[in-house]
Amino acid sequence: MTLSRRDFVQTAAALGASLAWVGPARASRTKWRETRNLYPEGVASGDPDARSVILWTRRPFDRGDRHVLTVEVAEDESFRRVVATAPAPVSTAADWTTRVLVGGLKPARVYWYRFADADGGGSRIGRTITAPLDSDPRPINFAFVSCQDVNEGTLNAYRRMIFEDERAKPADQLGFILHLGDFIYEIVEYPEEVKTRYDRTIYEVARISDGGKAGNFHFPLNVDGYRAVYKGYLADPDLQNARARWPFVAIWDNHEFSWQGWQSIQKAGKERPGQSIKVAANQAWWEYLPSRCKKVSGPSFETFDPPAVTDVAIQKWDENGLGDEPNNLAAINSLIGYRSYRYGRHLDLIITDQHSYRSADPFSDPSLGKLGGDEFIGMSPETLMQILDGGRAYGGGNPPAEVSFGDAHVPNPRKNAPPQTILGATQKAWFKERLRNSTATWKIWGNSQGGPDIRADPQNLPPGMTKQRWPGGYAQAGTVDWGTAYLERSEIYSLVRDAKITGFAIVAGDRHAFWAGYATSELPPGKFEPVGLSFVGASLSSAGAMEGQEHNLPKAAPLRALFLADRPDGGKPDWTFNMLLKHGVRSCLEYAKSFDLQRARAVSNPELAPHLEFVDLGGHGYATVRLSAGEMRTEFVCIPRPITRNDRPDGGELRYRVEHVAKLWAPSERPRLTQRVLEGDPGLSI
């Protein structure tokens, strides 16, 4: 882990960061006095390794285009042992943000940092932590989070996280926060246009000038629009406090660019070429989230230097569905998000980008709407989804000419298309190589998209519940992500199996729900062969599936009992959707009739979801992970629906705390999770 100063300079140039190098400790020589209002977005640190970390702040000025701050790094919170002092330039070209790469630090150490302007006007004090050396055997602790929509919710979960971490023993404190995307939601509602959605108040976030609008949502079309949204989000005090306490390691999901966008195609309402919009989104992300993501457009230590691109339609696609158009390639490669980190002996964290290189959504062809099946509320035949995912590779290269649902048939729109890819060829090759060569105890895939199948068994519905007959077999019942990337995930899981890789686990976001289970290519009646663990963390604040069902599913819907069980006393309905995915139709119908959990579980379908140990589609909060030589311990910390800010120091009460533990398995074994409810009641999630 030694790094020469020459290598350090080259690294800083690739990241676009100023430089600071550690020297002998001495007392602070700046005139720093805390003046937080001068630094409205606070301070942050990101992507630590054993010898360095990136520090960040934003200090806007009323006059001039460029100023220089001073950053100090100390071994103590009182700054009597300052080990690094360096210039930190800010300019209008980077929206007054600065990024400083500090090198020569000691491994597994807490440091404090602060910024000051020429007059001594100072930022708040930040705290950061370096990674342990590769050989360090101590356990690794981190939290993973995602989906923090402050337009419609609050970030009480961060306050709970800080409250508990401050009171934990040093060996149990978190080393970093893994943010798995939707740091912002680029679609913004204005309170005077939309007062509420569901039971949520619409809070002011930002005003987007020269943007677009779809329905009630405004969205950016240039870098100033994205910057406005980041500044609105970073006004949140709980987010500021979290970024000041821990280094963040982050990857974007969809909303950092475009709700339904992919590659450089922008989609909110209608689809449009968005090469300039993708570059703008990347630039704003780079400016506001300190990371080791590589910008490729210029050697500046201070600015992003966006590449010049033109918004043009993509006419040609390569064999993997990547748009073979120069502006598209320049836009998506303007910031490289996939990367990996080693934390001590026990963690290789491998992070991938699920949107910049993915192929088109294979399930979105308009002709598929002619198949019907709307009364099954989002369920699609599993076989149909596999055909569409596989494209021309389905059935060993013999896809059907038609796809059907009952008596309805349409030509297979994917018959000649390449199989779906989420990672793209280049990134996937990199990912597989990193996974194959990892020597850490645990190989954790940091992924913005959930992995477990979202599966239901409508073939077990009693006759007559629906007008249309279910065509048979299992259903896919939710989000399009790794749960329906059947071929590509099988390729990855087969590598894990064939290379005899142990300690493989996925931590993911995006689904606005807690999930715990196993990474497996197939489910019964196929071969159930888990090769690793699979977790999804709930949203910090964004609305989830159960909230939508509570407000939108009609009381008279024939299949309502599969999603919500209405209590005779008129109380809040129980979330049987969780039970549908874990136990099946028969369990839901029994529970909705008797409200007897034991009787409902007695009729569980054992072949439906052997890959699931826990699912809560109404959860909010965060997950923590502890990795040691012998086990992975994952804890779901669930809070009540965060629609108003709770002013308690601990962020408010908990709904539940559930622990999932897996012992490290041998190559000849399969992973197994054990589960324990530590606090509260997870309801129908188990």
Side-chain angles (χ1 to χ4, degrees):
M1 293 298 299
T2 59
L3 186 69
S4 71
R5 293 194 183 218
R6 180 179 178 181
D7 292 339
F8 185 68
V9 170
Q10 292 175 343
T11 298
L15 305 180
S18 302
L19 300 165
W21 193 265
V22 166
R26 64 186 185 187
S28 172
R29 297 181 181 180
T30 67
K31 299 180 291 182
W32 175 89
R33 64 186 184 282
E34 186 171 322
T35 318
R36 289 197 186 190
N37 63 294
L38 297 178
Y39 301 79
E41 289 75 38
V43 298
S45 65
D47 285 15
D49 65 17
R51 298 295 188 188
S52 63
V53 68
I54 299 178
L55 306 181
W56 176 95
T57 196
R58 179 175 182 269
R59 166 64 167 98
F61 286 84
D62 294 331
R63 297 180 180 178
D65 293 330
R66 185 179 185 273
H67 293 262
V68 179
L69 310 177
T70 298
V71 62
E72 292 183 298
V73 183
E75 295 178 333
D76 64 312
E77 197 170 0
S78 60
F79 285 77
R80 293 190 178 94
R81 294 184 55 80
V82 175
V83 295
T85 303
V90 295
S91 66
T92 54
D95 202 24
W96 300 111
T97 64
T98 188
R99 299 150 48 90
V100 181
L101 180 63
V102 184
L105 301 171
K106 296 176 182 178
R109 287 288 298 268
V110 174
Y111 288 93
W112 284 264
Y113 62 95
R114 64 190 185 188
F115 295 84
D117 61 26
D119 297 322
S123 71
R124 67 183 295 169
I125 293 171
R127 171 182 177 270
T128 193
I129 312 163
T130 52
L133 293 171
D134 292 6
S135 58
D136 194 322
R138 76 185 72 192
I140 300 296
N141 301 294
F142 68 93
F144 63 95
V145 299
S146 62
C147 305
Q148 54 188 38
D149 186 352
V150 300
N151 204 188
E152 297 185 347
T154 59
L155 299 178
N156 299 327
Y158 279 132
R159 197 147 2 99
R160 164 64 66 169
M161 194 188 302
I162 294 169
F163 181 86
E164 295 193 356
D165 198 63
E166 288 176 338
R167 288 155 181 78
K169 297 176 182 177
D172 295 330
Q173 289 183 334
L174 301 173
F176 64 93
I177 307 301
L178 176 60
H179 201 297
L180 293 167
D182 292 347
F183 189 94
I184 63 165
Y185 280 67
E186 93 294 3
I187 47 173
V188 176
E189 297 161 292
Y190 294 170
E192 72 273 14
E193 295 179 351
V194 187
K195 295 188 181 301
T196 61
R197 191 169 81 97
Y198 303 150
D199 291 334
R200 293 170 176 256
T201 300
I202 303 303
Y203 299 106
E204 180 71 34
V205 168
R207 299 290 158 144
I208 300 173
S209 59
D210 301 320
K213 190 177 183 184
N216 292 320
F217 294 103
H218 301 259
F219 52 88
L221 296 174
N222 54 45
V223 69
D224 287 336
Y226 283 102
R227 287 168 169 172
V229 180
Y230 277 101
K231 283 178 276 198
Y233 271 66
L234 287 171
D236 184 275
D238 296 314
L239 177 55
Q240 281 201 23
N241 290 341
R243 297 222 307 172
R245 180 166 179 81
W246 297 288
F248 273 52
V249 178
I251 187 64
W252 49 80
D253 193 31
N254 56 328
H255 282 290
E256 286 88 346
F257 166 45
S258 174
W259 180 12
Q260 295 174 306
W262 53 287
Q263 295 185 30
S264 68
I265 296 172
Q266 195 265 359
K267 186 175 181 181
K270 66 178 183 178
E271 191 169 281
R272 75 180 81 193
Q275 288 91 339
S276 68
I277 306 170
K278 176 66 171 176
V279 170
N282 281 353
Q283 178 174 348
W285 193 95
W286 178 88
E287 289 172 345
Y288 281 89
L289 278 83
S291 79
R292 294 179 193 265
C293 294
K294 293 181 180 179
K295 69 182 187 72
V296 299
S297 52
S300 171
F301 290 78
E302 300 179 19
T303 58
F304 182 75
D305 304 321
V309 295
T310 303
D311 295 330
V312 295
I314 301 171
Q315 304 290 348
K316 290 175 55 183
W317 308 87
D318 72 11
E319 61 183 2
N320 296 296
L322 181 65
D324 191 11
E325 190 280 317
N327 292 279
N328 180 54
L329 298 176
I332 62 179
N333 289 316
S334 62
L335 189 64
I336 306 299
Y338 59 90
R339 59 206 193 276
S340 65
Y341 299 102
R342 179 68 178 260
Y343 285 82
R345 183 180 297 176
H346 300 309
L347 171 60
D348 255 335
L349 177 61
I350 309 173
I351 300 169
T352 54
D353 172 356
Q354 280 62 241
H355 292 279
S356 298
Y357 314 104
R358 69 155 301 134
S359 55
D361 179 355
F363 314 111
S364 62
D365 192 277
S367 68
L368 297 171
K370 299 176 182 178
L371 296 178
D374 292 345
E375 61 181 330
F376 292 100
I377 311 179
M379 298 186 212
S380 300
E382 190 173 60
T383 301
L384 170 63
M385 301 297 278
Q386 291 168 347
I387 292 169
L388 296 172
D389 167 71
R392 61 180 176 237
Y394 181 81
N398 293 291
E402 291 186 329
V403 291
S404 63
F405 186 102
D407 296 330
H409 298 258
V410 299
N412 180 359
R414 297 269 301 155
K415 186 176 186 297
N416 298 310
Q420 177 185 197
T421 177
I422 291 178
L423 297 181
T426 300
Q427 180 181 210
K428 182 163 56 180
W430 170 88
F431 172 69
K432 291 167 71 174
E433 189 67 15
R434 294 296 308 180
L435 192 56
R436 186 184 292 110
N437 293 329
S438 173
T439 59
T441 308
W442 297 93
K443 300 87 179 168
I444 305 297
W445 182 8
N447 193 321
S448 68
Q449 298 273 281
D453 290 68
I454 307 174
R455 201 184 199 213
D457 59 349
Q459 68 268 34
N460 290 327
L461 285 168
M465 277 198 76
T466 55
K467 295 177 182 178
Q468 190 175 7
R469 183 184 175 191
W470 181 257
Y474 287 100
Q476 191 275 345
T479 302
V480 175
D481 53 16
W482 285 105
T484 50
Y486 301 100
L487 277 185
E488 189 163 53
R489 76 177 187 194
S490 178
E491 181 183 347
I492 293 166
Y493 296 168
S494 294
L495 167 66
V496 175
R497 179 198 63 216
D498 297 342
K500 301 186 184 306
I501 296 171
T502 63
F504 171 67
I506 305 166
V507 296
D510 186 64
R511 288 188 179 180
H512 303 184
F514 283 119
W515 296 69
Y518 306 102
T520 181
S521 298
E522 297 183 49
L523 293 172
K527 187 176 183 180
F528 177 56
E529 189 179 37
V531 298
L533 307 172
S534 188
F535 300 96
V536 183
S539 72
L540 285 161
S541 61
S542 308
M546 293 320 311
E547 194 168 353
Q549 298 289 13
E550 286 175 4
H551 287 84
N552 296 330
L553 189 59
K555 289 269 190 180
L559 299 186
R560 182 177 170 88
L562 304 186
F563 301 88
L564 296 165
D566 295 307
R567 290 191 164 273
D569 62 6
K572 182 181 176 181
D574 285 356
W575 296 340
T576 45
F577 199 177
N578 294 335
M579 181 171 277
L580 173 67
L581 303 184
K582 179 74 175 74
H583 296 285
V585 162
R586 293 185 178 121
S587 292
C588 290
L589 297 179
E590 174 58 43
Y591 186 81
K593 179 177 67 176
S594 67
F595 291 92
D596 186 320
L597 188 55
Q598 185 173 353
R599 288 176 61 179
R601 287 178 178 165
V603 292
S604 176
N605 179 355
E607 295 199 335
L608 168 66
H611 65 305
L612 290 185
E613 298 289 353
F614 186 95
V615 57
D616 181 8
L617 301 174
H620 297 280
Y622 60 93
T624 63
V625 175
R626 182 177 178 84
L627 302 171
S628 64
E631 70 176 25
M632 177 176 183
R633 188 177 298 267
T634 305
E635 190 172 284
F636 292 163
V637 183
C638 184
I639 64 172
R641 191 171 289 165
I643 57 178
T644 57
R645 190 168 192 268
N646 190 302
D647 290 326
R648 280 172 37 174
D650 64 358
E653 63 185 7
L654 296 183
R655 270 189 58 214
Y656 60 76
R657 188 192 306 269
V658 177
E659 177 185 75
H660 312 272
V661 179
K663 301 295 184 185
L664 184 65
W665 57 96
S668 59
E669 300 173 335
R670 57 154 287 188
R672 295 188 184 277
L673 279 171
T674 60
Q675 193 175 80
R676 188 161 61 115
V677 178
L678 303 177
E679 289 183 54
D681 180 7
L684 305 182
S685 297
I686 297 173

